[in-house]
Amino acid sequence: MADKQQPSTDDETAAKAATTKQDPDKTEQGTAAEPKAAAKPTVTAEQLAAVQKKADDFEDKYLRAEAEVQNMQARYQKEQASLIKYDGQQLAKDVLPVIDNLERALAVEATDDASKQIKKGVQMTYDHMEDALKRNHVTEIEALGKPFDPTLHQAVQSVPVSDGQTAETVVNVLQKGYQLKDRVLRPAMVVVAQ
């Protein structure tokens, strides 16, 4: 047994020191982890209600903004459809006096060959203008013999009802009226039997 050496006190002390160094680390980690778990923030019911109210307000604002955007898009599409539908309205209004003047020129009697040729040229121009208006959905408002309609006709005179006429009907057209699709460009100026 003499061959066996007993551990020296220095070795024992070093071993104890090593084990005590490991144990305090373990206990420090264990105690450090416990306060972190115990330090959860507590939320009161009032704070939770305030946060919920704020979230509800944001959701309400979002929904209102989304509805407003949808309304704006619908309004924009409606305006675009209206612009497309009534495209050329101002041009048609500006052309109507030209049609009136061509009709007046055609109402004049032509007596000699030169005036007949001019009248033929005016008739051709009138036909082309009328065709162009029809292709662009500008149509004449039917008035003569029709019941008076204040949305389509403008009564400038009234006459007593005579034989074969009924009251509130158009008996004479002083100026033709025109409409673009379903929109009145110019009402017909008419004489109405009363």
Side-chain angles (χ1 to χ4, degrees), residues 36-106:
K36 286 182 184 174
K40 285 185 181 176
T42 56
V43 178
T44 64
E46 295 163 351
Q47 290 173 330
L48 184 62
V51 169
Q52 184 63 40
K53 183 178 182 329
K54 194 172 185 181
D56 290 345
D57 288 345
F58 280 130
E59 183 181 15
D60 183 56
K61 286 179 183 178
Y62 168 75
L63 292 174
R64 287 177 188 270
E66 187 176 357
E68 188 173 334
V69 167
Q70 288 176 353
N71 288 340
M72 286 173 45
Q73 287 175 341
R75 195 175 327 124
Y76 173 75
Q77 289 172 351
K78 185 178 177 182
E79 288 173 2
Q80 288 298 317
S82 178
L83 286 173
I84 290 168
K85 183 177 181 179
Y86 299 115
D87 184 38
Q89 177 177 338
Q90 189 58 47
L91 177 63
K93 280 184 177 181
D94 292 342
V95 168
L96 293 181
V98 175
I99 292 286
D100 294 339
N101 289 333
L102 290 172
E103 287 175 347
R104 288 185 194 102
L106 290 172

Side-chain angles (χ1 to χ4, degrees), residues 22-173:
Q22 290 175 355
D23 289 340
D25 286 344
K26 287 182 185 177
T27 55
E28 283 179 19
Q29 289 175 356
T31 55
E34 288 176 15
K36 286 182 184 174
K40 285 185 181 176
T42 56
V43 178
T44 64
E46 295 163 351
Q47 290 173 330
L48 184 62
V51 169
Q52 184 63 40
K53 183 178 182 329
K54 194 172 185 181
D56 290 345
D57 288 345
F58 280 130
E59 183 181 15
D60 183 56
K61 286 179 183 178
Y62 168 75
L63 292 174
R64 287 177 188 270
E66 187 176 357
E68 188 173 334
V69 167
Q70 288 176 353
N71 288 340
M72 286 173 45
Q73 287 175 341
R75 195 175 327 124
Y76 173 75
Q77 289 172 351
K78 185 178 177 182
E79 288 173 2
Q80 288 298 317
S82 178
L83 286 173
I84 290 168
K85 183 177 181 179
Y86 299 115
D87 184 38
Q89 177 177 338
Q90 189 58 47
L91 177 63
K93 280 184 177 181
D94 292 342
V95 168
L96 293 181
V98 175
I99 292 286
D100 294 339
N101 289 333
L102 290 172
E103 287 175 347
R104 288 185 194 102
L106 290 172
V108 175
E109 276 299 317
T111 55
D112 59 348
D113 287 339
S115 59
K116 286 180 183 179
Q117 290 299 321
I118 292 173
K119 189 171 182 177
K120 185 177 179 182
V122 171
Q123 181 67 49
M124 288 173 59
T125 305
Y126 176 78
D127 292 342
H128 285 290
M129 289 286 285
E130 204 171 49
D131 183 52
L133 289 173
K134 283 180 183 173
R135 279 182 288 148
N136 288 285
H137 309 287
V138 177
T139 56
E140 181 182 336
I141 296 173
E142 295 292 325
L144 191 61
K146 302 285 182 184
F148 176 72
D149 182 357
T151 60
L152 300 174
H153 309 127
Q154 179 181 355
V156 293
Q157 186 179 357
S158 64
V159 294
V161 176
S162 61
D163 293 337
Q165 295 176 339
T166 57
E168 298 296 321
T169 58
V170 175
V171 293
N172 192 8
V173 178

